[in-house]
Amino acid sequence: MNQKVKMSFTIITVIIGFMLATQFETVKKPKERDTRDIWELRDALLKEQKLHSTLLTEIRSNDERLEKYKTKMKDSKETALNETLQELKEEAGETNVMGPGVQITIVPVKEAELMGEEIDTVSPDLLKRLLNELNMYGAKNISINNERIINTTVIRDINGTTKVNGHSLNKFPVTLNIITQDFHSAQKLFNQMQFSSTIDEFFVDNLKVSISKPKKVIHVSAFDDPIIIRYMQSAK
């Protein structure tokens, strides 16, 4: 009988010890907490809300296009196909575009040039950040030194020179033409870019960013190079 009591006591002691060790380990290694402050959380939430709004707009646009296509198919299949093809070309960036927007110019800071510093190009990372911010604030079409920015555009550093679509940005000024949905959107984008932290980052690299006041007509050229599609093929 005493042997059974000792065995039971031993088992209970081991279980309690295991539970205490587990609890101590949990207290010792608490779960990682989100340390972002309220403004960083608000900024993240705003970006997600804008992404959600953009996706809903795209879905609505595609639904409208599908209904329009079905209606026109009843009248003329050829006309419907040609109009749809033209719309897709515009979205892909294969057509010249004109509309309201702003122009951004990037040049070296004069003080840096007077000090003898050579500034040959713009950082690709800064350009990407600037493009992301412009898209977030309502940019619809963008070109950099007449190089159209499309979904497959690559901006990278090759041998110390930033290249956009394979074309070098080794001369100043670097000019960005930005077209928005309407003139009101251009004014809104202009106001929001006045407080852009990305522009301050350019100044750290001895570059000055100037933003023109909204214009009623901005020209963005078409994407001239062939668009390479790697992961899509025609359905049977």
Side-chain angles (χ1 to χ4, degrees):
M1 184 69 178
N2 290 335
Q3 188 68 23
K4 290 183 178 180
V5 171
K6 288 181 180 179
M7 182 64 70
S8 299
F9 180 75
T10 302
I11 293 172
I12 293 171
T13 303
V14 170
I15 293 173
I16 293 174
F18 178 75
M19 292 174 66
L20 288 173
T22 303
Q23 185 176 7
F24 176 76
E25 191 68 18
T26 303
V27 173
K28 184 179 178 182
K29 296 181 179 179
K31 293 182 179 179
E32 292 185 6
R33 297 175 60 189
D34 194 333
T35 57
R36 293 178 294 177
D37 61 28
I38 188 170
W39 293 108
E40 290 175 319
L41 291 171
R42 283 167 62 92
D43 185 54
L45 177 61
L46 179 62
K47 289 180 180 178
E48 291 300 323
Q49 287 176 333
K50 288 186 176 180
L51 176 60
H52 181 254
S53 176
T54 300
L55 291 174
L56 288 178
T57 302
E58 289 182 1
I59 292 171
R60 192 179 301 113
S61 175
N62 288 332
D63 287 341
E64 290 175 356
R65 179 181 293 135
L66 185 59
E67 289 300 321
K68 189 192 301 181
Y69 185 71
K70 288 179 180 178
T71 302
K72 289 183 178 179
M73 279 285 286
K74 296 177 182 178
D75 302 327
S76 172
K77 292 183 179 181
E78 184 179 354
T79 301
L81 286 171
N82 286 333
E83 289 186 3
T84 302
L85 179 61
Q86 184 63 25
E87 289 178 6
L88 292 175
K89 282 185 174 181
E90 289 176 3
E91 289 188 7
E94 292 189 321
T95 60
N96 294 320
V97 184
M98 295 179 67
V102 298
Q103 190 174 74
I104 292 178
T105 305
I106 304 172
V107 296
V109 175
K110 290 183 179 180
E111 289 78 4
E113 290 183 318
L114 292 174
M115 294 293 291
E117 294 189 33
E118 292 186 5
I119 305 170
D120 300 323
T121 191
V122 183
S123 163
D125 292 332
L126 279 179
L127 270 182
K128 291 175 188 176
R129 285 185 59 182
L130 180 59
L131 290 176
N132 288 337
E133 199 161 356
L134 289 169
N135 287 325
M136 186 175 68
Y137 291 147
K140 189 176 178 183
N141 299 288
I142 304 174
S143 67
I144 302 177
N145 282 6
N146 292 324
E147 286 299 324
R148 181 70 169 270
I149 304 302
I150 62 173
N151 290 334
T152 58
T153 291
V154 176
I155 301 175
R156 59 184 174 181
D157 183 297
I158 299 178
N159 297 326
T161 300
T162 297
K163 294 197 174 186
V164 178
N165 294 330
H167 299 271
S168 300
L169 294 181
N170 52 7
K171 293 182 180 180
F172 289 100
V174 173
T175 304
L176 286 79
N177 286 354
I178 302 103
I179 292 178
T180 56
Q181 184 68 35
D182 48 44
F183 190 74
H184 175 72
S185 299
Q187 291 176 315
K188 188 175 179 181
L189 183 146
F190 172 79
N191 292 332
Q192 288 172 316
M193 290 302 296
Q194 300 303 309
F195 305 98
S196 167
S197 59
T198 303
I199 292 178
D200 296 331
E201 295 294 331
F202 276 90
F203 191 77
V204 173
D205 279 8
N206 292 319
L207 293 168
K208 179 183 177 183
V209 179
S210 302
I211 307 174
S212 73
K213 290 185 177 181
K215 300 179 180 180
K216 292 185 177 180
V217 179
I218 291 286
H219 178 263
V220 171
S221 55
F223 183 78
D224 292 331
D225 299 328
I227 298 178
I228 301 174
I229 300 174
R230 293 187 176 90
Y231 308 109
M232 185 168 61
Q233 60 185 11
S234 300
K236 294 182 180 179

